[in-house]
Amino acid sequence: MAKSIFLQEIVSSIQYGNLPDTWTNTDIGSFSSTIKLYDYQESAVKNAIKGLWLYYEQNADWTPNEPKEVNFERKSKLFEQYILNGLMRENYLITEKNGNFPILEKAFTVKDKTIQYDNLINRMSFWMATGSGKTLVIIKMIEVLGNLIKNQEIPENDILLLIPRDDLIGQLKREVQEYNQNTLGKKINLVSLKNYSQEKFSNKFVFENEVTVFYYRADNLSDAQKDAQIDYRNYDNNGKWYVFLDEAHKGSNDDSKMQAYCSVLARNGFLFNFSATLIDKEDLATTVYNYNLKEYISNGYGKHILLSDQEFENFNENDLNDTQKREIVIRSLITLTLVKKSSRLVRNKDVTYHEPMMVTLVNSVTKKDSDLSVFFKTLSEIAGKNNFISSTLFEKEKSKIKKEIETKQYLFEDQKLILDSNLIEDISVEDMREFCFGSKDTGSIEVIQGKKELAFKLRTADKPFALIKIGDISNWTNDILDGYEITKTLREDSFFGSLDKEDNISILMGSRAFFEGWDSLRPNVVNFINIGTGKDAKRYILQSIGRGVRLSPIKNHRMRAVSLAPSNPKISTIISKVGPIETLFVYATSKKAVETVLETMQDQNTGSGNELEIALEKNQISFDLLIPVYEIIQNRRKKIAKFHISKKSLALLVDALNFPESVLTTRYGITPEEILLLKVNLDSASEIFTSNEEKNYRNIDILLFKVLLHIRKQKKVVKEFKVLEDEIIHFKHIKTYLEKNEHTELVEKIKKTGKKPVTQTEEDLQGLLGSKKITIKEYTEKIKSLTNFKGNEKFKDLSIDFISEHYYIPIITSSKEKPEYIKHIISVPSEVKFIGELNEFVKDNSFNFKWMFSKIDESIDKISIPYFSTETNDYRNFIPDFMFWIEKGDCYEIVFIDPKGTSHSDYENKIDGYKELFENKDFSFGKKKIKTKLLLVPNEINSVNGEKYREYWMDGIKNIFNI
């Protein structure tokens, strides 16, 4: 698959911390008093800010009342950056063949019956998995726009939010209400677009920290004005809109007028697309942040996905006999039973996993031989009164499930479901009936008719066990369910609307009518029946699976148990049992459907060639590898880092704090306690401030924001040390963008260097074989290892080396900085040089103690040293490039190494942060006394400031080991 994502790669070279204060005066992490943004949500917002800075400042600095030509110059420069990164202009031309051409030609320049994509490049897409919380990102982006407008960094355009459904509009209003409780952020005033003129031209007082956002249902945006529909041309505003389009995939095909309307409205502003399902090349190219389903799951969120290899050619009345249909349905029911049984083992008052459910999604629903009717008929036969399930059939299906679980890896991950085999072997037919149908006894099925839904229950049970949700149920009640007893429910609410409370409903059946518009944690088994392979089907499958991966082991947490366990002891005791409840089992009834799922799951990559992943092997580890664990200190103001400020700016702050308290509270969200704290510390030698003439703030709003953010920051200290688990994972995700034959060649070279060779010679092995101390099989494997092993291989500009003490093997370095065809290897020149020197040192020296080391990848791994940066007046994370573990008896030492060292001017702050956390402290782990050391490698000794930090300079590899 060719390179498809461009904008994220373009902004990756921009350092957020180096942007001007007027671009970073938003507290990215906070949302409300109870909600903080996840790391990936923060990253999405930061990437967007970098993209806006690139567009509105670097390419052509925006100024009020600038000529129209400047805006097109801005677009052209951004599009040229896409071209330089590999985008092919000819692939993005808009011609008369495009269904939206008649709409677009009225707003954009047409030349030779073609619109160049430069015209529409002022956009960015957020590819965020279902359940990843994109609504929070949207609201945070609105706050960012409000701040940038206030700071006169971007045009004062109106903000329009288009949402696809009424229920999502309701969700937005609830989220905004939650956000508006935040004392530091702006207040968002939501106004229907129908009231645009009234709101825009009214004389009502608007608070300075308030931003007005117009909203409307996206599919009611039209080219005609009637009833709920509104004509987009009546709200044109000269194209000066910041348009947010939620669920942008709904309008991303060539003939979607809605996408065209948005492009026209944002032609002199900016368009922000949000979706869990990006397929079209325009959306992919302009993706500023990719956290799609693959990224979401790979980073520890949501359920694992186990995609079954078992294929069924078709599932309809004519193509399968009753036995085959029964096998298919029983298999999914046994899987559901397995998950339900395992959930009972782990759920308690503290661990709040969902009640599992099976979802069957079909292509056709209304005819007598439709997919849904055939599935229901088979299901009712299994559940019904006269059904008999042979033990042979039942055990055969259990065996198939067990075998697949034991052999099949999760999608996107190099791991398998860990399962106690007794859990599935002990499942009986009675268990399946109880867990899936609500009764161990068979019985006739009754039908309960609601609005656009049909519920089913056994006469031997008290509550319904299954639900069909389709658009029109009349054909079912009049024809397909002929002979069933049907009663109409008197309940006002629907079963579907209260699905999360209806634990008794274990089976949900439907079609595309409901794959959107509902959110639930409950799906653990998904059946796709006769779903096609076209573009719409891809979105359908991706959205459906995306909804199925939602997870919440404990309230307000979306990560899997293994990620939550370090900070939650109640979770740590059940980790070995949560595999089934944290897995989404996917079955498809045709090979094409399986292939479609696989295709739609693949990441649209950012490199050239095909994106494929290589997982290197974890090395043999002979002792505990320990890492620090941090905690937030309670009384943080007593140990707060000093905020650096010039005398002039401090005087400005003094004047500001003399404003009436009501003004400070209303305009800036400062609490009375904070006002008092600042007033008693208005001195450059106080516990909060220190004098620094380089830190000059001319804008009082930015100064107050920065100071408030500073005193509210939560400082960390070292709590303890723990054994390394999944904090270093980058070696499992070596991404290559190579043609398949080259990728295969690289993998083969890695295999030759990635296996630790046997220590015996060939003669030794022959002696062991002759004395029968090893078997012929063991002899063959060892000889193969001995003859195949090579300590070094070359591939293009890569060096693939076996270093026996590295955390994973082999270790890959590149002589070319940032090679475009591979990610997550060592390619920074200073790091490559360090590895080379270390390798030579190891060859020339012997060690009588245990030691290991590992590269740390700042983009994936989770090891860092918190510190306060005087450059940004903020807390940051220092991520050293390497970590060493050295064990000499009871003496245990951890060494952090940073070969980039003093080439970064912030190095003194990093050292100060390390000293405060680790030095003059007593740490232990069991009987081991833990010492730590930080070593930086300066590019030039003369660049280092004086003697103060000399002990942290590394002048040779021997410094690491004290030899």
Side-chain angles (χ1 to χ4, degrees), residues 296-420:
Y296 187 69
I297 291 172
S298 298
N299 284 280
Y301 292 92
K303 301 186 187 95
H304 303 285
I305 299 176
L306 189 64
L307 182 61
S308 176
D309 285 332
Q310 298 176 36
E311 300 170 355
F312 315 108
E313 292 302 318
N314 279 300
F315 193 92
N316 59 52
E317 194 71 49
N318 300 317
D319 290 332
L320 286 177
N321 60 43
D322 289 343
T323 301
Q324 288 174 305
K325 295 171 193 171
R326 182 172 294 205
E327 287 176 358
I328 295 169
V329 178
I330 286 177
R331 190 173 307 154
S332 57
L333 290 173
I334 293 173
T335 304
L336 178 62
T337 305
L338 168 66
V339 181
K340 280 180 167 282
K341 284 188 72 174
S342 66
S343 73
R344 302 287 170 91
L345 298 176
V346 299
R347 290 164 63 189
N348 55 52
K349 63 182 180 66
D350 299 308
V351 180
T352 56
Y353 283 104
H354 55 278
E355 177 63 28
M357 177 176 66
M358 179 171 76
V359 180
T360 296
L361 304 170
V362 300
N363 188 46
S364 58
V365 297
T366 54
K367 296 179 181 178
K368 257 195 170 183
D369 60 349
S370 67
D371 304 326
L372 186 58
S373 63
V374 174
F375 182 86
F376 171 74
K377 178 182 175 183
T378 308
L379 182 69
S380 62
E381 287 175 353
I382 295 171
K385 182 177 181 180
N386 298 319
N387 171 63
F388 171 74
I389 301 173
S390 73
S391 60
T392 302
L393 171 62
F394 195 77
E395 293 302 320
K396 183 178 76 171
E397 294 307 315
K398 280 168 51 176
S399 178
K400 287 180 180 179
I401 296 169
K402 181 184 175 185
K403 183 177 179 180
E404 188 158 60
I405 288 175
E406 291 173 344
T407 58
K408 181 79 173 170
Q409 284 192 335
Y410 287 127
L411 199 63
F412 312 138
E413 302 174 272
D414 60 345
Q415 57 179 300
K416 301 173 184 176
L417 193 164
I418 299 174
L419 178 68
D420 180 355

Side-chain angles (χ1 to χ4, degrees), residues 263-289:
S263 296
V264 171
L265 291 174
R267 65 189 182 277
N268 293 315
F270 215 91
L271 174 59
F272 304 89
N273 285 321
F274 287 78
S275 180
T277 318
L278 294 183
I279 292 176
D280 294 323
K281 61 181 183 296
E282 294 83 5
D283 290 330
L284 291 168
T286 57
T287 293
V288 74
Y289 190 70

Side-chain angles (χ1 to χ4, degrees), residues 544-604:
S544 303
I545 291 180
R547 294 189 178 279
V549 300
R550 292 170 184 263
L551 184 71
S552 183
I554 54 178
K555 189 176 180 181
N556 296 326
H557 288 80
R558 298 172 183 171
M559 299 192 85
R560 296 189 287 272
V562 69
S563 300
L564 296 174
S567 59
N568 194 313
K570 294 172 182 176
I571 286 284
S572 61
T573 60
I574 60 166
I575 286 180
S576 62
K577 302 175 183 178
V578 300
I581 192 71
E582 291 192 348
T583 299
L584 179 69
F585 296 85
V586 180
Y587 293 97
T589 58
S590 74
K591 185 176 181 181
K592 282 186 178 181
V594 174
E595 290 173 344
T596 299
V597 173
L598 285 169
E599 181 183 348
T600 54
M601 293 293 111
Q602 295 308 307
D603 188 8
Q604 301 287 338

Side-chain angles (χ1 to χ4, degrees), residues 55 74-76 78-79 82 87 117-124 270 286:
Y55 184 73
R74 192 175 285 123
K75 291 184 180 183
S76 297
L78 178 59
F79 195 63
Y82 278 81
L87 183 142
Y117 200 66
D118 308 42
N119 289 273
L120 287 78
I121 202 62
N122 54 322
R123 61 176 61 198
M124 60 178 65
F270 215 91
T286 57

Side-chain angles (χ1 to χ4, degrees), residues 46-171:
K46 287 180 179 179
N47 270 18
I49 292 172
K50 292 192 290 184
L52 290 171
W53 176 84
L54 176 68
Y55 184 73
Y56 281 111
E57 183 155 319
Q58 188 179 69
N59 286 346
D61 192 9
W62 176 82
T63 56
N65 303 315
E66 66 182 15
K68 290 183 179 179
E69 295 76 18
V70 177
N71 193 44
F72 192 76
E73 175 192 351
R74 192 175 285 123
K75 291 184 180 183
S76 297
K77 285 185 176 180
L78 178 59
F79 195 63
E80 283 304 314
Q81 288 170 298
Y82 278 81
I83 301 296
L84 289 173
N85 277 271
L87 183 142
M88 305 297 289
R89 181 185 293 272
E90 59 270 23
N91 293 338
Y92 292 81
L93 300 175
I94 302 170
T95 67
E96 289 180 309
K97 294 180 180 179
N98 188 301
N100 289 324
F101 191 85
I103 300 172
L104 299 174
E105 68 173 340
K106 297 172 184 177
F108 300 104
T109 303
V110 179
K111 186 177 180 180
D112 297 330
K113 298 181 180 180
T114 301
I115 299 173
Q116 297 286 332
Y117 200 66
D118 308 42
N119 289 273
L120 287 78
I121 202 62
N122 54 322
R123 61 176 61 198
M124 60 178 65
S125 301
F126 298 77
W127 192 3
M128 302 190 70
T130 302
S132 62
K134 56 184 167 58
T135 304
L136 272 64
V137 176
I138 290 173
I139 294 172
K140 204 65 189 178
M141 279 303 303
I142 290 170
E143 179 186 345
V144 166
L145 293 182
N147 287 331
L148 293 175
I149 290 171
K150 182 179 178 182
N151 296 335
Q152 294 192 318
E153 293 290 0
I154 62 175
E156 193 175 357
N157 297 338
D158 293 317
I159 301 173
L160 173 61
L161 182 49
L162 296 170
I163 304 175
R165 304 190 311 269
D166 289 333
D167 63 302
L168 291 180
I169 291 176
Q171 177 185 332

Side-chain angles (χ1 to χ4, degrees), residues 732-874:
K732 299 178 182 179
H733 305 285
I734 307 293
K735 293 185 178 181
T736 67
Y737 310 103
L738 295 163
E739 297 306 323
K740 192 170 183 179
N741 61 325
E742 288 188 314
H743 177 85
T744 302
E745 180 187 351
L746 175 58
V747 169
E748 287 302 312
K749 289 179 180 290
I750 287 172
K751 285 181 179 178
K752 289 181 180 180
T753 52
K755 291 290 186 181
K756 194 169 184 178
V758 295
T759 56
Q760 300 100 328
T761 65
E762 187 173 350
E763 291 77 13
D764 293 334
L765 294 173
Q766 288 175 348
L768 291 171
L769 179 63
S771 61
K772 297 184 178 181
K773 292 184 178 178
I774 59 174
T775 65
I776 186 65
K777 183 179 180 181
E778 291 172 329
Y779 171 81
T780 303
E781 289 177 351
K782 289 178 183 290
I783 285 291
K784 186 177 179 181
S785 174
L786 189 64
T787 55
N788 286 351
F789 176 77
K790 290 187 67 175
N792 172 268
E793 284 280 357
K794 300 291 184 183
F795 177 84
K796 292 190 173 186
D797 43 52
L798 302 182
S799 181
I800 308 164
D801 295 282
F802 176 86
I803 301 180
S804 59
E805 288 80 13
H806 196 250
Y807 180 59
Y808 57 86
I809 47 178
I811 190 166
I812 305 174
T813 59
S814 172
S815 58
K816 179 181 179 182
E817 187 168 9
K818 294 183 179 179
E820 67 280 356
Y821 63 87
I822 190 166
K823 304 293 183 186
H824 305 311
I825 63 162
I826 300 172
S827 64
V828 177
S830 59
E831 298 175 15
V832 175
K833 180 183 176 184
F834 171 78
I835 288 294
E837 292 175 350
L838 176 67
N839 208 1
E840 290 302 315
F841 184 85
V842 171
K843 291 176 183 177
D844 295 339
N845 291 272
S846 59
F847 302 88
N848 58 359
F849 51 83
K850 296 177 183 179
W851 70 279
M852 289 198 80
F853 79 107
S854 182
K855 163 67 179 158
I856 301 174
D857 188 310
E858 64 179 7
S859 65
I860 296 182
D861 298 333
K862 298 177 181 178
I863 295 177
S864 62
I865 301 173
Y867 76 102
F868 183 80
S869 170
T870 59
E871 291 192 347
T872 61
N873 257 342
D874 197 4

Side-chain angles (χ1 to χ4, degrees), residues 913-926:
Y914 164 79
K915 290 169 64 177
E916 185 175 356
L917 284 166
F918 293 99
E919 292 191 352
N920 301 315
K921 307 266 193 326
D922 294 324
F923 299 115
S924 62
F925 184 85

